[in-house]
Amino acid sequence: MDINELTENFELLEDWEDKYRYIIELGEQMPPLPEDLKTEEWKVRGCQSQVWLIPEKKDGKLFFKGDSDAAIVKGIIAIVLSIYSGKSAQEIKAADVSGIFSGLGLHEHLSPSRRNGLGAMAEKIRHYAEVM
């Protein structure tokens, strides 16, 4: 799913209870990471829940797999990956995940700890874009 489709789907939902359910559904649609990949090496620091992000580079683009132990956070990961996965390092560095989340209304509806976790995920992805 791309960010435009995500934005359109979000706009169709009228209240935040429905939007939270949709975020959880997005997370449920993601394949779970195998347990052997849920290691310290792939863990994102700064998230209240456990979050793992695994990069893979193919044809000059970065692709990501992710998982979390919390349903809503796994949905947030799905949104973050729709923004970043399949992009070049330059596109990743230029992406404004904070602006996208604000546009979706998520910044005002996420707890401060989840907003911090979102920032930590974006920073980790930008780090991978630098080093891969």
Short mmCIF file of all heavy atoms in Angstrom, two decimals, residues 43-52 67-74 76-77 111 113-114 117 120-121:
data_model
loop_
_atom_site.label_atom_id
_atom_site.label_comp_id
_atom_site.label_asym_id
_atom_site.label_seq_id
_atom_site.Cartn_x
_atom_site.Cartn_y
_atom_site.Cartn_z
N LYS A 43 16.54 -4.44 17.00
CA LYS A 43 15.61 -3.73 17.89
C LYS A 43 15.78 -2.22 17.75
O LYS A 43 16.88 -1.71 17.60
CB LYS A 43 15.87 -4.15 19.34
CG LYS A 43 14.73 -3.89 20.25
CD LYS A 43 14.99 -4.57 21.59
CE LYS A 43 13.74 -4.58 22.41
NZ LYS A 43 13.93 -5.26 23.66
N VAL A 44 14.66 -1.51 17.80
CA VAL A 44 14.67 -0.05 17.72
C VAL A 44 14.65 0.49 19.15
O VAL A 44 13.73 0.21 19.92
CB VAL A 44 13.45 0.48 16.93
CG1 VAL A 44 13.44 2.01 16.92
CG2 VAL A 44 13.45 -0.07 15.52
N ARG A 45 15.65 1.25 19.50
CA ARG A 45 15.73 1.88 20.82
C ARG A 45 14.84 3.13 20.84
O ARG A 45 14.71 3.82 19.84
CB ARG A 45 17.16 2.31 21.13
CG ARG A 45 18.15 1.20 21.01
CD ARG A 45 18.33 0.45 22.33
NE ARG A 45 19.27 -0.64 22.17
CZ ARG A 45 18.90 -1.90 21.98
NH1 ARG A 45 17.64 -2.23 21.91
NH2 ARG A 45 19.80 -2.85 21.86
N GLY A 46 14.23 3.40 21.97
CA GLY A 46 13.41 4.59 22.10
C GLY A 46 11.92 4.34 21.95
O GLY A 46 11.12 5.26 22.01
N CYS A 47 11.56 3.07 21.76
CA CYS A 47 10.15 2.71 21.66
C CYS A 47 9.72 2.08 22.98
O CYS A 47 10.45 1.28 23.55
CB CYS A 47 9.92 1.71 20.52
SG CYS A 47 10.27 2.35 18.88
N GLN A 48 8.54 2.44 23.43
CA GLN A 48 8.02 1.88 24.67
C GLN A 48 7.75 0.38 24.49
O GLN A 48 8.06 -0.42 25.35
CB GLN A 48 6.75 2.61 25.08
CG GLN A 48 6.20 2.15 26.41
CD GLN A 48 5.00 2.98 26.83
OE1 GLN A 48 4.41 3.71 26.04
NE2 GLN A 48 4.62 2.87 28.08
N SER A 49 7.18 0.02 23.36
CA SER A 49 6.95 -1.39 23.02
C SER A 49 8.21 -1.92 22.35
O SER A 49 9.08 -1.16 21.95
CB SER A 49 5.78 -1.52 22.06
OG SER A 49 4.63 -0.94 22.59
N GLN A 50 8.27 -3.23 22.22
CA GLN A 50 9.39 -3.81 21.48
C GLN A 50 9.11 -3.65 19.99
O GLN A 50 8.03 -3.98 19.52
CB GLN A 50 9.56 -5.27 21.84
CG GLN A 50 10.00 -5.47 23.29
CD GLN A 50 10.44 -6.88 23.52
OE1 GLN A 50 11.57 -7.23 23.25
NE2 GLN A 50 9.51 -7.69 24.02
N VAL A 51 10.11 -3.15 19.27
CA VAL A 51 9.99 -2.94 17.83
C VAL A 51 11.27 -3.43 17.17
O VAL A 51 12.37 -3.14 17.64
CB VAL A 51 9.78 -1.44 17.49
CG1 VAL A 51 9.84 -1.19 15.98
CG2 VAL A 51 8.46 -0.94 18.06
N TRP A 52 11.08 -4.17 16.08
CA TRP A 52 12.22 -4.63 15.30
C TRP A 52 12.03 -4.17 13.85
O TRP A 52 10.94 -4.29 13.30
CB TRP A 52 12.32 -6.16 15.32
CG TRP A 52 12.50 -6.71 16.69
CD1 TRP A 52 13.68 -6.93 17.35
CD2 TRP A 52 11.47 -7.12 17.59
NE1 TRP A 52 13.44 -7.44 18.60
CE2 TRP A 52 12.09 -7.57 18.78
CE3 TRP A 52 10.07 -7.15 17.52
CZ2 TRP A 52 11.38 -8.05 19.87
CZ3 TRP A 52 9.36 -7.62 18.61
CH2 TRP A 52 10.01 -8.07 19.77
N ASP A 67 8.19 -5.59 13.01
CA ASP A 67 7.24 -6.26 13.90
C ASP A 67 7.28 -5.57 15.26
O ASP A 67 8.22 -4.81 15.56
CB ASP A 67 7.62 -7.74 14.07
CG ASP A 67 6.42 -8.61 14.42
OD1 ASP A 67 5.35 -8.07 14.79
OD2 ASP A 67 6.54 -9.85 14.32
N SER A 68 6.26 -5.82 16.05
CA SER A 68 6.18 -5.30 17.41
C SER A 68 5.38 -6.26 18.26
O SER A 68 4.61 -7.07 17.74
CB SER A 68 5.50 -3.92 17.42
OG SER A 68 5.36 -3.46 18.75
N ASP A 69 5.53 -6.10 19.57
CA ASP A 69 4.74 -6.91 20.49
C ASP A 69 3.42 -6.25 20.84
O ASP A 69 2.64 -6.78 21.61
CB ASP A 69 5.56 -7.23 21.75
CG ASP A 69 5.96 -5.99 22.52
OD1 ASP A 69 5.85 -4.86 21.99
OD2 ASP A 69 6.43 -6.13 23.67
N ALA A 70 3.15 -5.06 20.29
CA ALA A 70 1.91 -4.32 20.57
C ALA A 70 1.13 -4.12 19.26
O ALA A 70 1.70 -3.69 18.26
CB ALA A 70 2.23 -2.98 21.21
N ALA A 71 -0.16 -4.40 19.29
CA ALA A 71 -0.98 -4.36 18.08
C ALA A 71 -1.01 -2.98 17.42
O ALA A 71 -0.82 -2.86 16.21
CB ALA A 71 -2.41 -4.81 18.39
N ILE A 72 -1.23 -1.93 18.19
CA ILE A 72 -1.30 -0.58 17.61
C ILE A 72 0.06 -0.17 17.06
O ILE A 72 0.15 0.45 15.99
CB ILE A 72 -1.86 0.46 18.61
CG1 ILE A 72 -2.16 1.79 17.92
CG2 ILE A 72 -0.92 0.70 19.76
CD1 ILE A 72 -3.47 1.82 17.21
N VAL A 73 1.13 -0.55 17.74
CA VAL A 73 2.48 -0.20 17.28
C VAL A 73 2.80 -0.95 15.99
O VAL A 73 3.41 -0.39 15.08
CB VAL A 73 3.52 -0.47 18.38
CG1 VAL A 73 4.93 -0.24 17.87
CG2 VAL A 73 3.24 0.41 19.60
N LYS A 74 2.37 -2.19 15.89
CA LYS A 74 2.59 -2.94 14.66
C LYS A 74 1.88 -2.24 13.49
O LYS A 74 2.41 -2.16 12.38
CB LYS A 74 2.11 -4.38 14.80
CG LYS A 74 2.56 -5.26 13.67
CD LYS A 74 2.37 -6.72 13.97
CE LYS A 74 2.83 -7.54 12.78
NZ LYS A 74 2.77 -8.97 13.04
N ILE A 76 1.35 1.02 13.34
CA ILE A 76 2.16 2.21 13.07
C ILE A 76 3.38 1.83 12.23
O ILE A 76 3.74 2.54 11.29
CB ILE A 76 2.56 2.90 14.39
CG1 ILE A 76 1.31 3.50 15.05
CG2 ILE A 76 3.62 3.97 14.15
CD1 ILE A 76 1.53 3.97 16.48
N ILE A 77 3.97 0.67 12.53
CA ILE A 77 5.09 0.19 11.72
C ILE A 77 4.63 0.00 10.28
O ILE A 77 5.34 0.38 9.34
CB ILE A 77 5.65 -1.13 12.29
CG1 ILE A 77 6.31 -0.89 13.65
CG2 ILE A 77 6.65 -1.76 11.32
CD1 ILE A 77 6.65 -2.18 14.39
N SER A 111 -0.10 8.88 21.83
CA SER A 111 0.49 9.29 23.11
C SER A 111 1.90 9.80 22.86
O SER A 111 2.53 9.45 21.85
CB SER A 111 0.52 8.09 24.06
OG SER A 111 1.45 7.13 23.58
N SER A 113 4.64 8.88 24.19
CA SER A 113 5.61 7.78 24.08
C SER A 113 5.53 7.12 22.71
O SER A 113 6.55 6.72 22.15
CB SER A 113 5.40 6.75 25.19
OG SER A 113 4.13 6.15 25.09
N ARG A 114 4.33 7.05 22.12
CA ARG A 114 4.22 6.48 20.77
C ARG A 114 4.80 7.43 19.72
O ARG A 114 5.39 7.01 18.75
CB ARG A 114 2.77 6.12 20.46
CG ARG A 114 2.32 4.93 21.28
CD ARG A 114 1.33 4.06 20.56
NE ARG A 114 1.11 2.84 21.32
CZ ARG A 114 0.04 2.59 22.05
NH1 ARG A 114 -0.94 3.47 22.11
NH2 ARG A 114 -0.06 1.46 22.70
N GLY A 117 8.41 6.90 19.86
CA GLY A 117 8.73 5.66 19.18
C GLY A 117 8.70 5.81 17.68
O GLY A 117 9.56 5.27 16.97
N ALA A 120 11.84 7.40 16.72
CA ALA A 120 12.95 6.44 16.81
C ALA A 120 12.96 5.51 15.60
O ALA A 120 14.03 5.19 15.06
CB ALA A 120 12.84 5.64 18.11
N MET A 121 11.78 5.09 15.14
CA MET A 121 11.71 4.24 13.95
C MET A 121 12.22 4.98 12.72
O MET A 121 13.01 4.44 11.94
CB MET A 121 10.27 3.78 13.70
CG MET A 121 9.78 2.70 14.60
SD MET A 121 8.11 2.20 14.10
CE MET A 121 7.18 2.76 15.52
#
